[in-house]
Amino acid sequence: MHAHLRAARRLAGVLAIALPALLAACTADPPRPAPASTADPAPAEADAARDELAALAAAAQDRHLTATYLLVTGDGPDRTITVTSANDGSWRVDVPGWGWGGTVDVSLAANGDGLFQCALPSPGRPASGSCVRLGDPDDALPRKLDPRVQHPFTDWLEVLTDRRAPLAVSPATAPTSATGDCYAVDTTSASLNAPLDVGIYCYRPDGTPTAVRAAFGTLRLAGEPGPAPATVPLAGPVVEGDPVGREAPEPTDSASTGTP
């Protein structure tokens, strides 16, 4: 009988330990299902935006027109930029108040004969227009001669259509008073020589650039574009000489002394 009592006590002890655990297991919440995937759809959206912008930039390459754009820089008066993209592929961009400390209007143009800078009749240079050849049509401008506002209509279009270019593209809100489909463009390269200015680029479906916000300021289409000419005329004859720089030239000895 003593043996039976000892066995009963041992069984009671085991039950006292195991029973709470069994009860807890029975009353615990059932395992929750794994949450649905929350993968960020941004990569797909970014690819779509990149494709859309590339298509608009390609249309802009084929869009030949004459148009004016309001340039707002925030550090001077607003200026009207005239852009001409001719049917033969030549182009011209007139930039008032750029040269010689803002006193000389300049024009950049490229045709089959080369890349030219022309000085236009303006307050700081009342002489008639004349042009200086800077190089071949596809040559890069030296920084000191580069107004930069011509790039969105010329070589930056090639970058925007190149899917290998190190760019990140996303939809963006149009700058104030601008219209069109707009995209924010950033560079994914650590290089100091970025292929274009980061900013916002806007186009109509037919490829007409409607606005650009970049390091040089904001360009906004002013009025309806006109038809393109067959080719762009230079603003004057091509002459030998130095192009107009951004900074005002140093006065000569005769100018500083008042002698002729």
Side-chain angles (χ1 to χ4, degrees):
M1 178 176 292
H2 293 295
H4 288 297
L5 288 174
R6 286 194 297 270
R9 291 191 185 100
R10 285 196 297 271
L11 179 59
V14 170
L15 290 175
I17 296 173
L19 187 58
L22 291 173
L23 291 174
C26 292
T27 59
D29 292 336
R32 296 180 180 178
S37 173
T38 57
D40 188 358
E45 293 177 2
D47 285 344
R50 182 74 182 271
D51 290 340
E52 292 167 5
L53 179 56
L56 289 170
Q61 289 178 310
D62 296 330
R63 180 77 168 97
H64 303 299
L65 49 71
T66 300
T68 56
Y69 291 81
L70 185 67
L71 174 62
V72 180
T73 62
D75 60 355
D78 298 347
R79 290 172 284 164
T80 299
I81 307 299
T82 303
V83 176
T84 304
S85 174
N87 292 327
D88 66 351
S90 59
W91 59 265
R92 171 175 161 177
V93 177
D94 293 355
V95 189
W98 181 83
W100 286 2
T103 64
V104 175
D105 304 342
V106 300
S107 172
L108 290 174
N111 58 28
D113 294 327
L115 175 66
F116 300 88
Q117 186 213 65
C118 303
L120 307 176
S122 41
R125 186 185 177 280
S128 59
S130 62
C131 304
V132 175
R133 188 178 188 276
L134 303 177
D136 293 332
D138 295 330
D139 283 351
L141 279 172
R143 183 174 295 274
K144 64 181 181 179
L145 299 177
D146 192 353
R148 300 192 68 76
V149 296
Q150 79 283 359
H151 292 296
F153 309 98
T154 57
D155 55 307
W156 286 356
L157 292 176
E158 297 178 9
V159 180
L160 294 175
T161 60
D162 184 0
R163 289 304 304 267
R164 298 168 299 176
L167 303 178
V169 178
S170 59
T173 302
T176 303
S177 301
T179 61
D181 296 323
C182 299
Y183 299 86
V185 178
D186 201 353
T187 179
T188 59
S189 172
S191 171
L192 295 177
N193 297 318
L196 49 61
D197 280 0
V198 301
I200 295 176
Y201 295 77
C202 304
Y203 299 89
R204 289 179 179 173
D206 66 356
T208 301
T210 57
V212 178
R213 176 180 290 168
F216 56 73
T218 299
L219 282 168
R220 186 175 70 247
L221 182 65
E224 284 299 309
T231 189
V232 294
L234 295 180
V238 179
V239 299
E240 296 292 333
D242 295 327
V244 173
R246 180 75 170 114
E247 304 299 327
E250 294 293 333
T252 61
D253 290 341
S254 59
S256 61
T257 60
T259 57

